[in-house]
Amino acid sequence: MPSSSSLLLIVVICGISLATVLVHGQACSEKPWETVHRRLATKTPYRHVFRDGAYLPVPGDIDGCQVRRTWGLFRHGTRNPSKKVIDRMNTDLVDIRDDILQHGKLCKKELEMFQRWKPRLKMDQEKILVDEGADEMQQLGKRFRARYGRQLPDDYRKEDFYFKFTKTERAENSARNFSLGLFGRTVDVEYPTALSRDPVLRFYKLCQRWRTEIKENPKAVQEVELFYNSKPMKDIIGRISKKVGTYLDADSIYLMYQACAFETAWSKKHTSPWCTLFDKSTIKLLEFGEDLEYYWIDGYGHELTYEQACSAFGDLLKRFDGEHEPHTFYFTHSGTLLKVMAFLGMYRDDFTLTHKDYERKRQWRVSEIDAFATNLVFTQLECTNGTHVMLNHQERPVHIPGCPRGQILCDYDHFKRLFGERMSNCAFDTMCSLEVPRRDEL
């Protein structure tokens, strides 16, 4: 049995060891950022929403059915941030890092990560597709080929395939990498002229009323403002400020969240030091703030936001009903995918999302439904019992709202009837005109 002096020595040694681990009072855990990496809103990497092996039945394996046409919307793969964020990473984030190294209450491993961190981007690298994004799109193309098999032509012919991207580097290179994966080699795909304001791929750029009354109107997103000024958010600001060792505002914490997101998305192996500042409860709140903003700007918050997506949906019906290339692939952006999902009625909760709802269970989670490389693919199938349509989101068959529940195939005539009235009233120029009176003015 050890003597009292020996026990004291053990306690002292343990205390010294514990102090080494804790540094300023916080222990490093084994996997503290696992939850964080899956909750990065629209900057979540596709690898965190992709679930391998969960994609049966594939279109070619459905008894008595043949693939007739496909129509897909693909968000570009992982990219770099905007110029504004890059500039703040090179200035504000450096200042915050210096405060952390001088005053931060983090464990030794985390402090070492911040010692190694430095900004890596220049302004001319804004929003370009990164290597991880190129790989995301190539792998998507490969899996698309494997899934459709012989029901998709082996070789590219412009009579069979229609590819189009927006007038951005990230969308163009996403299209080229997807085609590389789809055909297994570089092929000379014929692309139409890319448009910055494409009526199908980026219809909202042409909707001046939406831009004025919603996108650029602070009153349209007042719930977001209320959230960032709420007590739960102020509590988070206090907790993270203590970790950093200096007072931070909500804007600075959001910048750190963006850095965590981009640096996570860029690499499968690297852990961003900025992610170490967030625990499960913190990331839950920050993710909710993103969900709330996209809900009010790109989702169900305002009817005009999603009703204008009839422009894109009309292209789907036109290509499924007309004499066009049977396989259509569009490469676009987050705003397009979210508005189309809302137009379809996907992931709609039975309540209006407000700043008070961060603890409520919800379907509208952009980390899951709008990660980098998000995809929506409609497949038209000719079956022994008629023509049907199937929708895949993130490569998984999903229910089309309004179609019979429990079935992945929806009768095509029924599908068209679901949207018939809305499509007949799809007067895009009229609804998007600033001269149209708002309902509260009628």
Side-chain angles (χ1 to χ4, degrees), residues 41-43 74-76 79 170 201-204 294 298 331-341 364 366 369-374:
T42 60
K43 309 307 183 291
F74 296 82
R75 186 188 174 198
H76 58 77
R79 61 163 173 83
R170 58 194 181 278
L201 277 68
R202 235 176 178 183
F203 48 84
Y204 50 93
Y294 284 101
D298 290 316
F331 298 86
T332 181
H333 305 268
S334 170
T336 304
L337 271 295
L338 288 174
K339 293 177 185 69
V340 169
M341 286 182 221
W364 185 264
V366 294
I369 68 176
D370 191 36
F372 282 127
T374 280

Side-chain angles (χ1 to χ4, degrees), residues 164-395:
K164 195 177 187 186
F165 47 78
T166 63
K167 197 175 182 178
T168 61
E169 182 274 345
R170 58 194 181 278
E172 177 177 348
N173 279 327
S174 290
R176 296 188 186 280
N177 278 282
F178 179 86
S179 68
L180 177 61
L182 185 66
F183 298 110
R185 63 191 185 284
T186 301
V187 295
D188 190 17
V189 174
E190 185 174 306
Y191 297 102
T193 302
L195 305 172
S196 58
R197 297 184 175 186
D198 192 294
V200 175
L201 277 68
R202 235 176 178 183
F203 48 84
Y204 50 93
K205 292 281 187 178
L206 292 161
C207 191
Q208 189 56 46
R209 183 175 164 224
W210 174 78
R211 294 182 65 81
T212 301
E213 295 184 3
I214 299 170
K215 175 70 172 177
E216 298 166 359
N217 181 8
K219 290 183 179 179
V221 290
Q222 60 185 351
E223 286 294 332
V224 180
E225 186 70 20
L226 288 170
F227 169 72
Y228 280 106
N229 285 296
S230 66
K231 185 181 183 303
M233 193 64 203
K234 288 178 180 177
D235 290 343
I236 290 297
I237 291 172
R239 293 217 312 263
I240 296 179
S241 293
K242 279 186 178 180
K243 278 189 177 184
V244 171
T246 189
Y247 178 76
L248 298 171
D249 57 15
D251 196 42
S252 295
I253 289 173
Y254 181 62
L255 174 65
M256 290 150 56
Y257 180 56
Q258 286 181 300
C260 164
F262 279 110
E263 292 182 359
T264 297
W266 290 336
S267 172
K268 296 179 178 69
K269 298 178 181 179
H270 173 71
T271 296
S272 169
W274 300 102
C275 296
T276 69
L277 298 171
F278 308 125
D279 57 22
K280 191 173 181 179
S281 60
T282 304
I283 209 68
K284 179 181 177 181
L285 269 174
L286 293 174
E287 180 192 24
F288 175 76
E290 290 281 85
D291 289 344
L292 192 62
E293 182 169 355
Y294 284 101
Y295 179 91
W296 286 98
I297 292 180
D298 290 316
Y300 290 108
H302 304 278
E303 186 176 319
L304 173 62
T305 298
Y306 55 89
E307 286 299 336
Q308 62 176 310
C310 64
S311 177
F313 192 77
D315 184 84
L316 164 66
L317 297 179
K318 181 181 74 173
R319 290 188 167 273
F320 273 12
D321 287 340
E323 296 300 320
H324 299 277
E325 302 89 344
H327 303 291
T328 301
F329 302 102
Y330 290 136
F331 298 86
T332 181
H333 305 268
S334 170
T336 304
L337 271 295
L338 288 174
K339 293 177 185 69
V340 169
M341 286 182 221
F343 178 85
L344 293 167
M346 299 172 69
Y347 309 110
R348 185 165 199 165
D349 296 295
D350 58 4
F351 57 91
T352 299
L353 200 62
T354 74
H355 70 284
K356 298 178 180 179
D357 295 321
Y358 63 94
E359 290 187 332
R360 294 183 74 173
K361 185 177 181 181
R362 62 190 183 278
Q363 297 182 69
W364 185 264
R365 305 188 78 111
V366 294
S367 296
E368 298 173 1
I369 68 176
D370 191 36
F372 282 127
T374 280
N375 47 91
L376 278 176
V377 177
F378 287 87
T379 303
Q380 188 185 54
L381 298 131
E382 201 62 53
C383 305
T384 53
N385 61 344
T387 305
H388 294 78
V389 64
M390 179 172 74
L391 173 59
N392 278 43
H393 178 216
Q394 314 297 42
E395 303 178 72

